[in-house]
């Protein structure tokens, strides 16, 4: 039903009704849409006819703002969204994002923030949800948002600062919804470089917008990786992103960040950097920067940023060239100092994440290093009576106990199966095993397996001193060789570290070396009964 004659509509009554949300129905929305359209058109005419005389259009602008305030009250009601789309009031609201008056734009931003709130949209059924998203997409919401970023000057007043906060919230909502609405954001470089610039611009000591911008940057890069990785084909585009991130990080290479806000921003910057490096093409671009050397500098400092730097190495050190480069730049010295937990304030680090990252790095070095670099890795493990092997087995024992307890619990009640049953999802056995493996990795299973990968890699480097010490430590800790065999073979072949899976095939040779190694170390251990050596079954 169209309301074309303004005399048929009691504007005061409609606005009064809009203030009482419970009285609003589909018919009320249609009337309100007609009023908004008329006021919007009148304001546009007044501005066009009297561009240099604000007195001629200020009244219509105030009327327009008043209607938007009432619509903002309705935007919390998700049951009205479908009517707002059908009456085209939502489309008219989006169009007002292009209004020359920033006060009008700010009112619209608040409305859009509420409508794009995932908790509101998730209340709709699938069809209604798609209808709202389609309308926002058709009206080029993301295009308007990117343009507004350049119009709002946060330094002007508190209202504009809060408006920018609302825009960032809308962007976060869009990424969280994971639908077609985000596509324009992924391919438009303006947003990405605005975020990088905004992160570097500190407007106040507790700049929440800078923190929000860093969080959105993480989401943006992650979504680009998933849906628009072609944008990285432009070398200068990609290296500009790396340079901006590294420039921000380098400000804190000698001193820790001064407050919690800065620490959170830096952690988000590292997360964004890690997301970039998940794509192998981007690793080549990273090599063109000073990023590797900067991460090594942070690692050597053993301050707050050495731990996120270690995470970057866990991502990048996965081939011969980078691993050899790490060793040649004396990275082993700093790495193994951390491995032995020297001079580290434990309050600064999440122990599980730290141990996962450092074990990943060491396992990759053992598997990928060649020639003299590999020799230097072996020398590190041979120092000070092989104390690092002892430390490795401490970590192994820690996570072995955790995983055994988890497996016992799972025999009684599988959390995974319970969740799948609640969602009425059925999966095949292979998929279920992989999901269970991932769930165990959250408890430390990957660390447990990689410690054995390191042991096997070290054992087969033809270094009798290292090999004998491995068996000495295995024997003194009563570690069953069979458990190493089963642990390595327990890893699904399609896991992130599947390349290391091949190392398990070498374990067959451990049995042949067992008797000889233990015999050669008999003076240190005393007599060792033959039965203490577990046979490893053939493949």
């Amino acid at each position: 039903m169209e309301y074309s004659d303004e005399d048929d509509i009691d504007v005061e009554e409609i606005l009064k009704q809009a203030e009482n949300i419970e009285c609003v129905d589909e018919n009320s929305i249609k009337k309100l849409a007609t009023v908004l359209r008329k006021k919007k058109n009148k304001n546009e005419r007044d501005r066009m006819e009297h561009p240099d005389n604000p007195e001629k259009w200020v009244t219509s602008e105030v009327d327009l703002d008043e209607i938007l305030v009432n619509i903002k009250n309705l935007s919390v009601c998700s049951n009205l969204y479908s009517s707002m789309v059908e009456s085209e009031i939502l489309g008219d609201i989006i169009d007002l994002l292009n209004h020359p008056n920033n006060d009008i734009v700010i009112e619209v931003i608040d409305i859009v923030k509420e409508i794009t709130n995932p908790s509101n949209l998730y209340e709709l059924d699938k069809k209604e949800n798609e209808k709202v998203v389609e309308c926002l997409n058709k009206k080029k919401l993301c295009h308007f948002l990117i343009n507004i970023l350049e119009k709002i000057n946060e330094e002007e007043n508190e209202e504009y600062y809060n408006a920018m906060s609302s825009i960032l919230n809308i962007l976060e909502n869009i990424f969280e919804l994971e639908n077609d609405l985000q596509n324009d954001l992924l391919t438009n470089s303006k947003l990405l470089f605005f975020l990088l610039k905004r992160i570097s611009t500190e407007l106040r000591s507790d700049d929440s917008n800078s923190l929000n911008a860093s969080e959105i940057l993480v989401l943006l890069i992650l979504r680009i990786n998933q849906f628009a990785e072609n944008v990285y084909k432009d070398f200068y585009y990609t290296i500009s992103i790396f340079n901006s991130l590294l420039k921000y990080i380098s400000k804190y290479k000698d001193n820790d960040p001064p407050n919690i806000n800065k620490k959170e921003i830096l952690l988000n910057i590292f997360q964004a950097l890690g997301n970039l490096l998940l794509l192998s093409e981007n690793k080549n671009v990273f090599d063109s920067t000073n990023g590797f050397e900067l991460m090594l500098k942070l690692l050597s400092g053993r301050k707050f940023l050495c731990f996120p730097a270690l995470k970057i190495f866990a991502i990048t050190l996965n081939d011969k060239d980078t691993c050899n480069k790490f060793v040649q730049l004396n990275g082993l010295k700093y790495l193994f100092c951390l491995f032995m937990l020297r001079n580290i304030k434990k309050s600064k680090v999440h122990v599980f994440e730290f141990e996962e990252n450092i074990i990943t790095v060491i396992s990759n070095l053992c598997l990928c290093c060649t020639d003299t670099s590999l020799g230097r890795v072996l020398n590190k493990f041979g120092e000070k009576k092989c104390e690092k092997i002892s430390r490795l087995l401490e970590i192994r024992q820690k996570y072995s106990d955790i995983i055994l307890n988890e497996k016992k619990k799972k025999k009684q009640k599988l959390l995974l199966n319970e969740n799948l049953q609640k969602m009425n999802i059925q999966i095949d056995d292979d998929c279920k095993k992989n999901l269970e493996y991932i769930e165990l990795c959250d408890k430390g299973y990957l660390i447990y397996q990689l410690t054995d990968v390191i042991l096997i890699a070290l054992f087969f480097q033809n270094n009798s001193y290292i090999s004998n010490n491995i068996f000495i430590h295995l024997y003194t800790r009563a570690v069953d060789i069979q458990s190493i065999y089963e642990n390595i073979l327990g890893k699904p072949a399609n896991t992130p570290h599947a390349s290391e899976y091949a190392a398990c095939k070498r374990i067959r040779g451990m049995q042949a070396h067992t008797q000889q190694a233990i015999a050669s170390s008999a003076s240190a251990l005393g007599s060792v009964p033959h039965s203490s050596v577990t046979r490893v079954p053939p493949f």
Side-chain angles (χ1 to χ4, degrees):
M1 179 179 179
E2 288 290 334
Y3 296 89
S4 56
D5 187 356
E6 191 168 1
D7 294 332
D8 294 337
I9 301 174
D10 188 339
V11 176
E12 293 293 332
E13 180 63 28
I14 291 175
L15 294 180
K16 186 177 179 181
Q17 190 180 47
E19 291 176 0
N20 188 355
I21 296 175
E22 294 178 356
C23 298
V24 177
D25 55 16
E26 185 177 344
N27 198 43
S28 303
I29 292 292
K30 289 180 179 179
K31 291 180 180 179
L32 193 60
T34 303
V35 174
L36 175 65
R37 195 168 299 118
K38 289 180 180 294
K39 296 298 182 184
K40 174 172 165 281
N41 292 338
K42 185 176 188 312
N43 180 246
E44 288 176 357
R45 283 197 307 271
D46 290 347
R47 275 184 167 271
M48 289 177 65
E49 292 172 4
H50 311 283
D52 300 321
N53 190 357
E55 292 181 0
K56 296 290 185 179
W57 43 259
V58 68
T59 302
S60 63
E61 211 139 290
V62 170
D63 291 342
L64 184 60
D65 185 74
E66 184 181 0
I67 294 174
L68 290 172
V69 169
N70 284 277
I71 293 174
K72 185 162 65 174
N73 296 333
L74 302 178
S75 64
V76 299
C77 303
S78 57
N79 61 303
L80 299 175
Y81 290 177
S82 183
S83 299
M84 292 173 74
V85 173
E86 291 170 359
S87 65
E88 298 183 359
I89 191 173
L90 182 57
D92 288 332
I93 291 169
I94 301 300
D95 288 339
L96 286 170
L97 285 171
N98 200 34
H99 198 279
N101 186 338
N102 280 345
D103 292 334
I104 297 291
V105 172
I106 289 171
E107 291 290 353
V108 175
I109 288 170
D110 288 337
I111 295 171
V112 174
K113 182 177 75 170
E114 201 62 53
I115 291 174
T116 57
N117 189 328
S119 61
N120 289 335
L121 287 177
Y122 289 152
E123 291 177 1
L124 307 177
D125 61 38
K126 184 178 179 181
K127 188 175 180 180
E128 289 179 331
N129 192 318
E130 289 175 350
K131 186 190 294 184
V132 174
V133 171
E134 184 182 358
C135 176
L136 297 175
N137 225 346
K138 186 178 178 181
K139 284 295 182 176
K140 300 292 182 183
L141 170 63
C142 293
H143 173 76
F144 282 125
L145 290 174
I146 292 172
N147 288 338
I148 293 170
L149 292 173
E150 300 172 353
K151 288 175 59 178
I152 302 293
N153 182 5
E154 298 174 73
E155 298 179 71
E156 193 167 320
N157 55 50
E158 188 69 19
E159 186 181 14
Y160 284 9
Y161 186 89
N162 292 334
M164 181 59 70
S165 178
S166 295
I167 294 171
L168 295 173
N169 284 336
I170 294 171
L171 294 172
E172 189 174 2
N173 291 343
I174 291 172
F175 285 126
E176 188 176 336
L177 290 168
E178 294 191 57
N179 51 41
D180 293 341
L181 201 56
Q182 67 182 355
N183 292 345
D184 287 341
L185 300 177
L186 304 184
T187 54
N188 193 320
S189 61
K190 283 185 179 180
L191 173 60
L192 193 145
F193 287 105
F194 169 82
L195 294 172
L196 290 170
K197 182 180 178 181
R198 182 61 188 84
I199 292 167
S200 301
T201 306
E202 186 176 1
L203 299 183
R204 52 182 74 177
S205 58
D206 57 340
D207 193 352
S208 60
N209 283 354
S210 183
L211 177 58
N212 290 343
S214 68
E215 292 170 350
I216 294 168
L217 179 67
V218 174
L219 290 172
L220 176 59
I221 291 177
L222 189 61
R223 295 290 183 266
I224 290 175
N225 288 358
Q226 293 174 308
F227 305 111
E229 62 179 83
N230 286 339
V231 301
Y232 295 132
K233 289 184 178 179
D234 184 340
F235 175 83
Y236 295 103
Y237 171 86
T238 309
I239 201 169
S240 296
I241 302 172
F242 275 118
N243 285 336
S244 297
L245 296 175
L246 295 173
K247 182 179 179 181
Y248 188 89
I249 293 170
S250 65
K251 294 191 292 186
Y252 301 96
K253 63 183 178 182
D254 296 317
N255 300 300
D256 282 345
N259 54 51
I260 295 294
N261 198 64
K262 284 290 183 185
K263 287 182 179 180
E264 291 293 329
I265 292 172
L266 277 163
L267 290 176
N268 288 332
I269 291 288
F270 270 95
Q271 185 66 53
L273 184 60
N275 288 346
L276 274 172
L277 291 169
L278 290 175
L279 298 181
S280 56
E281 299 86 353
N282 290 345
K283 290 181 182 179
N284 297 329
V285 181
F286 182 70
D287 291 339
S288 304
T289 69
N290 65 343
F292 198 95
E293 291 76 8
L294 177 59
M295 294 303 115
L296 204 55
K297 168 72 174 174
L298 296 174
L299 198 67
S300 68
R302 282 179 273 174
K303 296 180 183 294
F304 174 77
L305 290 183
C306 81
F307 303 110
L310 180 65
K311 187 173 184 178
I312 297 300
F313 281 126
I315 297 171
T316 56
L317 295 180
N318 57 6
D319 60 63
K320 180 183 71 173
D321 292 337
T322 52
C323 286
N324 286 340
K325 181 179 179 181
F326 180 84
V327 175
Q328 290 161 10
L329 293 175
N330 296 320
L332 293 179
K333 174 183 176 181
Y334 314 121
L335 179 70
F336 280 99
C337 281
L338 291 173
F339 181 61
M340 300 304 292
L341 296 178
R342 292 175 183 157
N343 303 322
I344 292 180
K345 294 180 181 178
K346 292 186 179 180
S347 60
K348 286 187 174 183
V349 59
H350 188 290
V351 175
F352 170 77
E353 185 178 356
F354 163 70
E355 289 179 340
E356 183 177 58
N357 288 331
I358 203 161
I359 291 295
T360 299
V361 171
I362 293 173
S363 67
N364 286 340
L365 290 173
C366 290
L367 292 170
C368 298
C369 282
T370 58
D371 303 328
T372 56
S373 295
L374 180 57
R376 290 173 67 178
V377 174
L378 288 174
N379 288 340
K380 276 294 177 184
F381 276 98
E383 290 175 351
K384 298 182 180 179
K385 299 180 181 179
C386 295
E387 64 174 1
K388 295 172 183 66
I389 292 176
S390 177
R391 172 66 184 141
L392 183 68
L393 287 169
E394 285 176 19
I395 295 175
R396 183 189 189 277
Q397 187 62 50
K398 172 183 174 181
Y399 288 98
S400 173
D401 294 341
I402 292 172
I403 297 305
L404 286 175
N405 289 334
E406 284 296 318
K407 287 184 175 180
K408 287 178 183 177
K409 291 178 185 177
K410 288 181 182 296
K411 285 182 180 178
Q412 301 170 2
K413 186 177 182 180
L414 275 172
L415 176 63
L416 174 70
N417 292 341
E418 188 182 60
N419 291 338
L420 291 173
Q421 287 174 4
K422 286 180 181 178
M423 295 184 286
N424 197 26
I425 296 175
Q426 293 183 347
I427 57 175
D428 58 37
D429 290 340
D430 288 340
C431 186
K432 187 180 293 185
K433 285 179 181 178
N434 285 341
L435 289 173
E436 288 172 1
Y437 173 79
I438 292 170
E439 194 174 320
L440 282 174
C441 283
D442 291 337
K443 304 294 183 181
Y445 194 30
L446 181 61
I447 301 174
Y448 177 40
Q449 289 185 310
L450 289 181
T451 54
D452 285 344
V453 168
I454 295 169
L455 287 172
I456 294 169
L458 292 174
F459 182 84
F460 283 94
Q461 296 304 327
N462 297 322
N463 185 311
S464 59
Y465 179 68
I466 297 289
S467 300
N468 290 345
N469 269 279
I470 288 174
F471 275 109
I472 291 171
H473 287 289
L474 289 176
Y475 176 75
T476 54
R477 291 176 178 273
V479 176
D480 188 352
I481 297 175
Q482 177 73 20
S483 68
I484 298 177
Y485 175 88
E486 293 173 348
N487 185 24
I488 297 295
L489 288 182
K491 178 162 44 174
N494 58 347
T495 59
H497 293 270
S499 60
E500 297 151 14
Y501 181 79
C504 71
K505 294 182 179 179
R506 298 177 176 178
I507 201 167
R508 281 188 294 179
M510 291 186 78
Q511 183 184 7
H513 288 272
T514 301
Q515 294 293 344
Q516 181 181 354
I518 293 180
S520 65
S521 57
S523 59
L525 296 175
S527 61
V528 180
H530 181 272
S531 59
S532 67
V533 180
T534 305
R535 287 187 61 82
V536 179
F539 279 76

